[in-house]
Amino acid sequence: MASPRPGSNMSAIAAALGVSAATVSNALSGKGRVSPELIEKVRAKAIELGYVPSLTARALRTGRTGVLGLVLPDIANPLFPQIAQAIENAASNAGYGVLIADSRGDIATQTEAIGRLLERGVDGMVIVPRRGTRIADIGCPVAVIDTPSTPGNTVSADHWEGGAQMGRHLAELGHAKVLLIGTSISSNVQNDRIGGLKAGLGPDAECETMWIEKVEAVSGEGCPLGLADKAAAGFTAFAAVSDLSALRALTELQRAGIGVPEMVSVTGFDDLIWSPVVTPALTTVRMDMAAIADLAIAALMRAIESEGEPEGDENEVVAGRVTSETDRVPMQLVVRQSTGTANLHASSDARTPNKPTAGELKS
Amino acid sequence: MASPRPGSNMSAIAAALGVSAATVSNALSGKGRVSPELIEKVRAKAIELGYVPSLTARALRTGRTGVLGLVLPDIANPLFPQIAQAIENAASNAGYGVLIADSRGDIATQTEAIGRLLERGVDGMVIVPRRGTRIADIGCPVAVIDTPSTPGNTVSADHWEGGAQMGRHLAELGHAKVLLIGTSISSNVQNDRIGGLKAGLGPDAECETMWIEKVEAVSGEGCPLGLADKAAAGFTAFAAVSDLSALRALTELQRAGIGVPEMVSVTGFDDLIWSPVVTPALTTVRMDMAAIADLAIAALMRAIESEGEPEGDENEVVAGRVTSETDRVPMQLVVRQSTGTANLHASSDARTPNKPTAGELKS
DNA sequence: CTGAAAGCGCTTACAG
DNA sequence: CTGAAAGCGCTTACAG
């Protein structure tokens, strides 16, 4: 049912009170000029009758649905829960509902998903684009959450600065030979993080970037990254641009008998759910998703507001697109147990001490 | 805007063709009896004008919004992405949109969230209840996804049987002293999994259940579970009812120098994103979320269909609640490298061989 | 096979 | 301060 159970509508209230529906509407919305006493009577009767406004009817009349679309590049991304929760919360505080659309990592599906959202008449949408894809003007207000270096971005964490914080942290611990680990060479977010890491580590640090393949979810052994060799080659820190890669590195190193953090340090990004849970807990950098979501929703609200207005000279919104400079939300370094000073390691040689012999391994 | 950009509506098509809006509606919906030629002409004109139906207007008229609500107990749950993706996909195949609602683990918030969804006029909702909470009749069709032993459940994985599969797998490997690890003693899902595990392990196996606290996301050291001591006490397998706990166990054991799987085996549940990625990859049990989602949506569709009908004697739907027996979807055991035979371990004593000395540990 | 009319529940100018 | 009227875009009996 478009209007919820308690079958009461404005006409019912109007009839019960012997006034017109228009007056009920004005009284309830507070917009029209209705006498205080009448407003009170209307309110009371509305409650008595269990009145629930029909958002559908309001939408038809006003042209606003009160619904926002949330387009995610790949719902299976472990970061998604944080984003969805933050957006849902911010939207709901602003009185909006959130319709989800999953683009399954596919560009065609993303376009389809956006189309479905448009058909449903969303007032605006929040899009986390597939790495690097640019969102065309789609005729409705859009807020893009990616990274400041993505053209058309609206708001995002300052990934570069987050990387720089992490780089500085590692540099302070004495790490001078660091392996940077990424999964997608075309990702703006990852490149920004890596750029920041290098900058934070400083010009004297020796950095190597390793782009790794995503593990297929088959039951076969995930291909080892050869990190033990890297440790043997003198790398004392492994800085991944995602907690998932960091976890992969951490367990591979541990498995090889390389102690973290006393032999090498491991760091990630995003403070995903398992980061505080593993042993040693992962040092990482956290985004302020709540702040990002609030800014994204606020930008959308502004764009929606000014939609009806004539093409103003305030070129804040062009063709429904928020074009003001990207809002950069600071990231926060979270230091846990997976990082330590490089000293211990630097003095010893890098053989893998406790590595199980081949015979001990099962497969 | 409630109706998307291409400002065309049925009246525009009707006017352009010199027919009535009713005929356009009938032609487009295929319901009314309109001549094939006219149908073709209407279709062509609709495309030419870029006609997009107003779902809002249709909703107001028909009383159906074409939107379903998805209520999650806690959007931050790592299982959420799988669920949301599957539900979104199934709903969208059925022509429905999905509005999300997060109850943040809080019962009051859950009620609020359901209320907001109701106000928005959802045609039905999929609810994954907070552990054990029973969903009251809320006056709209509801599909509950929890576990078969939850009263009022609609469809879910057969958690008990999944546990039994895992139990049998461990038993076959020779494990006879197993530590079961759960996080919520009041969770029906976890209790079913544990019940299945015990049954699968058989009456001769020695089982102990450990209920652990969730780790606070602070930067302090997550409290160790003392699993090394358990290993020393002769436990050869650690079966967690969630991959998150399994990961916690795996890293704690590895950190303590206890080799997995050659010393002890570790298993989880749900095949969460990191399970194939860690070393050793985690043996786990996977739900068929797509099948669960399809069944949930199908149940909802049936309930929505029969909503208008008189109180039939087909007591499949009572007060909008699907009361037919729970659909149990089988779970699938995924064997990876974290499980091995208990033999190696059983022959040695259980001292932790490679444990770093206190001095080597940083904190 | 096709059309005229009513109405879903609301809001918004416009009169009184 | 309050009311009568129109209309958002569609669908659904009911006539022709």
Side-chain angles (χ1 to χ4, degrees), chain A residues 227-235 238 258 345 349-352:
Chain A
L227 299 185
D229 292 341
K230 291 294 181 186
F235 285 92
F238 297 79
I258 299 174
H345 177 82
D349 77 344
R351 272 183 307 104
T352 61

mmCIF file of all heavy atoms in Angstrom, chain A residues 227-235 238 258 345 349-352:
data_model
loop_
_atom_site.group_PDB
_atom_site.id
_atom_site.type_symbol
_atom_site.label_atom_id
_atom_site.label_comp_id
_atom_site.label_asym_id
_atom_site.label_seq_id
_atom_site.Cartn_x
_atom_site.Cartn_y
_atom_site.Cartn_z
ATOM 1 N N LEU A 227 56.566 -12.359 0.046
ATOM 2 C CA LEU A 227 56.959 -11.285 0.958
ATOM 3 C C LEU A 227 58.144 -11.672 1.837
ATOM 4 O O LEU A 227 58.924 -10.812 2.254
ATOM 5 C CB LEU A 227 55.770 -10.853 1.814
ATOM 6 C CG LEU A 227 54.576 -10.316 1.024
ATOM 7 C CD1 LEU A 227 53.509 -9.800 1.971
ATOM 8 C CD2 LEU A 227 55.016 -9.220 0.057
ATOM 9 N N ALA A 228 58.264 -12.963 2.095
ATOM 10 C CA ALA A 228 59.404 -13.402 2.905
ATOM 11 C C ALA A 228 60.702 -13.038 2.189
ATOM 12 O O ALA A 228 61.661 -12.571 2.809
ATOM 13 C CB ALA A 228 59.327 -14.908 3.136
ATOM 14 N N ASP A 229 60.698 -13.210 0.884
ATOM 15 C CA ASP A 229 61.880 -12.837 0.104
ATOM 16 C C ASP A 229 62.142 -11.338 0.197
ATOM 17 O O ASP A 229 63.284 -10.892 0.292
ATOM 18 C CB ASP A 229 61.694 -13.219 -1.368
ATOM 19 C CG ASP A 229 61.668 -14.734 -1.546
ATOM 20 O OD1 ASP A 229 62.136 -15.452 -0.623
ATOM 21 O OD2 ASP A 229 61.166 -15.194 -2.580
ATOM 22 N N LYS A 230 61.061 -10.609 0.166
ATOM 23 C CA LYS A 230 61.217 -9.160 0.263
ATOM 24 C C LYS A 230 61.827 -8.789 1.613
ATOM 25 O O LYS A 230 62.676 -7.907 1.707
ATOM 26 C CB LYS A 230 59.860 -8.461 0.103
ATOM 27 C CG LYS A 230 59.279 -8.564 -1.310
ATOM 28 C CD LYS A 230 60.138 -7.810 -2.315
ATOM 29 C CE LYS A 230 59.546 -7.890 -3.717
ATOM 30 N NZ LYS A 230 60.452 -7.268 -4.716
ATOM 31 N N ALA A 231 61.358 -9.469 2.641
ATOM 32 C CA ALA A 231 61.907 -9.200 3.972
ATOM 33 C C ALA A 231 63.391 -9.546 3.980
ATOM 34 O O ALA A 231 64.224 -8.807 4.513
ATOM 35 C CB ALA A 231 61.154 -10.010 5.022
ATOM 36 N N ALA A 232 63.704 -10.660 3.352
ATOM 37 C CA ALA A 232 65.103 -11.084 3.287
ATOM 38 C C ALA A 232 65.936 -10.059 2.516
ATOM 39 O O ALA A 232 67.119 -9.864 2.780
ATOM 40 C CB ALA A 232 65.198 -12.450 2.622
ATOM 41 N N ALA A 233 65.272 -9.403 1.572
ATOM 42 C CA ALA A 233 65.977 -8.409 0.767
ATOM 43 C C ALA A 233 66.124 -7.075 1.483
ATOM 44 O O ALA A 233 66.609 -6.104 0.909
ATOM 45 C CB ALA A 233 65.256 -8.213 -0.560
ATOM 46 N N GLY A 234 65.632 -7.035 2.720
ATOM 47 C CA GLY A 234 65.866 -5.840 3.498
ATOM 48 C C GLY A 234 64.684 -4.898 3.694
ATOM 49 O O GLY A 234 64.814 -3.871 4.347
ATOM 50 N N PHE A 235 63.549 -5.239 3.143
ATOM 51 C CA PHE A 235 62.382 -4.397 3.401
ATOM 52 C C PHE A 235 61.958 -4.596 4.853
ATOM 53 O O PHE A 235 61.838 -5.729 5.322
ATOM 54 C CB PHE A 235 61.221 -4.774 2.474
ATOM 55 C CG PHE A 235 61.419 -4.301 1.056
ATOM 56 C CD1 PHE A 235 62.021 -5.132 0.104
ATOM 57 C CD2 PHE A 235 61.028 -3.023 0.677
ATOM 58 C CE1 PHE A 235 62.225 -4.691 -1.199
ATOM 59 C CE2 PHE A 235 61.231 -2.579 -0.628
ATOM 60 C CZ PHE A 235 61.833 -3.421 -1.564
ATOM 61 N N PHE A 238 55.863 -3.062 5.273
ATOM 62 C CA PHE A 238 54.970 -3.394 4.176
ATOM 63 C C PHE A 238 53.723 -2.535 4.334
ATOM 64 O O PHE A 238 52.924 -2.765 5.234
ATOM 65 C CB PHE A 238 54.631 -4.881 4.208
ATOM 66 C CG PHE A 238 55.839 -5.755 4.002
ATOM 67 C CD1 PHE A 238 56.721 -5.992 5.061
ATOM 68 C CD2 PHE A 238 56.121 -6.313 2.770
ATOM 69 C CE1 PHE A 238 57.860 -6.784 4.879
ATOM 70 C CE2 PHE A 238 57.246 -7.105 2.572
ATOM 71 C CZ PHE A 238 58.123 -7.338 3.634
ATOM 72 N N ILE A 258 57.933 -14.848 10.100
ATOM 73 C CA ILE A 258 58.505 -13.516 10.261
ATOM 74 C C ILE A 258 57.643 -12.727 11.238
ATOM 75 O O ILE A 258 56.474 -12.443 10.957
ATOM 76 C CB ILE A 258 58.567 -12.791 8.902
ATOM 77 C CG1 ILE A 258 59.473 -13.596 7.955
ATOM 78 C CG2 ILE A 258 59.068 -11.366 9.077
ATOM 79 C CD1 ILE A 258 59.514 -13.067 6.559
ATOM 80 N N HIS A 345 65.094 -5.167 13.534
ATOM 81 C CA HIS A 345 65.301 -5.851 12.282
ATOM 82 C C HIS A 345 66.619 -5.460 11.631
ATOM 83 O O HIS A 345 67.381 -6.297 11.172
ATOM 84 C CB HIS A 345 64.165 -5.538 11.327
ATOM 85 C CG HIS A 345 64.367 -6.153 9.987
ATOM 86 N ND1 HIS A 345 64.041 -7.467 9.755
ATOM 87 C CD2 HIS A 345 64.883 -5.672 8.848
ATOM 88 C CE1 HIS A 345 64.346 -7.753 8.508
ATOM 89 N NE2 HIS A 345 64.851 -6.673 7.932
ATOM 90 N N ASP A 349 70.130 -10.197 10.524
ATOM 91 C CA ASP A 349 69.948 -10.396 9.088
ATOM 92 C C ASP A 349 68.509 -10.865 8.899
ATOM 93 O O ASP A 349 67.788 -11.158 9.846
ATOM 94 C CB ASP A 349 70.965 -11.377 8.502
ATOM 95 C CG ASP A 349 70.611 -12.812 8.821
ATOM 96 O OD1 ASP A 349 69.763 -13.007 9.757
ATOM 97 O OD2 ASP A 349 71.172 -13.713 8.206
ATOM 98 N N ALA A 350 68.080 -10.940 7.666
ATOM 99 C CA ALA A 350 66.643 -11.072 7.443
ATOM 100 C C ALA A 350 66.181 -12.498 7.151
ATOM 101 O O ALA A 350 65.139 -12.719 6.603
ATOM 102 C CB ALA A 350 66.220 -10.148 6.314
ATOM 103 N N ARG A 351 67.016 -13.457 7.564
ATOM 104 C CA ARG A 351 66.526 -14.823 7.360
ATOM 105 C C ARG A 351 65.218 -15.022 8.107
ATOM 106 O O ARG A 351 64.952 -14.376 9.117
ATOM 107 C CB ARG A 351 67.565 -15.822 7.851
ATOM 108 C CG ARG A 351 68.591 -16.201 6.794
ATOM 109 C CD ARG A 351 69.545 -17.248 7.326
ATOM 110 N NE ARG A 351 70.151 -16.841 8.594
ATOM 111 C CZ ARG A 351 69.782 -17.336 9.774
ATOM 112 N NH1 ARG A 351 68.830 -18.236 9.835
ATOM 113 N NH2 ARG A 351 70.384 -16.931 10.861
ATOM 114 N N THR A 352 64.393 -15.907 7.585
ATOM 115 C CA THR A 352 63.099 -16.126 8.223
ATOM 116 C C THR A 352 63.295 -17.166 9.299
ATOM 117 O O THR A 352 63.521 -18.335 9.026
ATOM 118 C CB THR A 352 62.099 -16.636 7.198
ATOM 119 O OG1 THR A 352 62.583 -17.873 6.679
ATOM 120 C CG2 THR A 352 61.965 -15.655 6.058
#
